[in-house]
Amino acid sequence: AQAGYVVLHPNLRGYPPSDGGPNAFHVGMAIDVLNLLAIVRENAGHPGPLQTADGTAIGMMGHSMGGGITWRVLTVDRDVRAAVLYASMHADERINYQQMLKWSGGREGHTELGTPGEDLARISPATYLQDIVTPVSIHHSVDDATVPVAWSQELAARLEALDKSVELYLYEDTPHTFRGQADALFM
């Protein structure tokens, strides 16, 4: 915002004061973000709160779960101009599902992500990486104890193999949410 950008930070469904709603595998949250992008594009440059916005110059940043949502948005919205993924969830919902079960001791994956019987490959952004046209900048700490750094390394390699515009930055001596010098460098 200090550099003149219009910055929106959506409050996603299920997080007060937002309403809840269907959200298996965070698809509902991705729909909310896609709807927000449509509102920005439609109202940019017109009188109102988005009068100074440029609806053709939209970038996204997603941290952790927000990174997973960003992966999903990038596979369907060809007009996002740049994306930053910060300690992002994986683009493969099977991997996310397994990790959610591990984090919760087998209790949370079902409610957080949906049911294991669903066709996870069909709804996983990882299945559609070839459709991403947005340049992607991936940032992850090698010391992240929450989301494995290997996920970012793997996805960067897959995008590179698809000849996509991708860069990977690895940070040391900082946790999942960057602190200190790593945070300053990231910003």
Side-chain angles (χ1 to χ4, degrees):
Q2 291 174 344
Y5 291 89
V6 176
V7 178
L8 303 174
H9 183 274
N11 194 54
L12 300 170
R13 65 176 69 187
Y15 289 87
S18 292
D19 294 334
N23 194 36
F25 302 97
H26 302 137
V27 171
M29 291 177 177
I31 290 168
D32 294 343
V33 171
L34 289 165
N35 286 330
L36 176 60
L37 294 178
I39 289 167
V40 169
R41 289 178 179 126
E42 183 177 324
N43 292 286
H46 298 288
L50 295 174
Q51 186 168 347
T52 62
D54 179 352
T56 65
I58 294 176
M60 287 187 68
M61 181 180 121
H63 176 243
S64 198
M65 180 184 68
I69 294 165
T70 300
W71 279 118
R72 190 174 301 287
V73 170
L74 295 180
T75 63
V76 297
D77 188 325
R78 300 178 71 80
D79 295 321
V80 174
R81 301 272 297 276
V84 174
L85 296 166
Y86 165 30
S88 175
M89 293 295 289
H90 205 287
D92 186 329
E93 294 298 354
R94 292 170 300 173
I95 293 170
N96 290 334
Y97 180 80
Q98 292 165 354
Q99 186 70 24
M100 291 295 291
L101 288 174
K102 179 179 168 186
W103 285 332
S104 69
R107 294 180 314 277
E108 292 299 321
H110 304 288
T111 58
E112 188 72 21
L113 291 176
T115 61
E118 297 190 41
D119 183 357
L120 298 183
R122 186 176 54 84
I123 66 167
S124 291
T127 303
Y128 307 100
L129 293 179
Q130 73 278 359
D131 297 333
I132 294 176
V133 298
T134 304
V136 177
S137 182
I138 301 172
H139 301 257
H140 211 122
S141 172
V142 298
D143 301 306
D144 190 331
T146 305
V147 174
V149 67
W151 291 2
S152 288
Q153 293 168 318
E154 175 204 342
L155 290 165
R158 287 181 61 185
L159 287 175
E160 191 171 275
L162 290 166
D163 203 29
K164 303 295 180 179
S165 179
V166 61
E167 53 191 20
L168 174 64
Y169 295 95
L170 300 177
Y171 300 75
E172 294 182 357
D173 302 320
T174 195
H176 179 64
T177 300
F178 298 172
R179 302 279 186 254
Q181 288 182 314
D183 184 58
L185 179 60
F186 171 64
M187 289 301 148

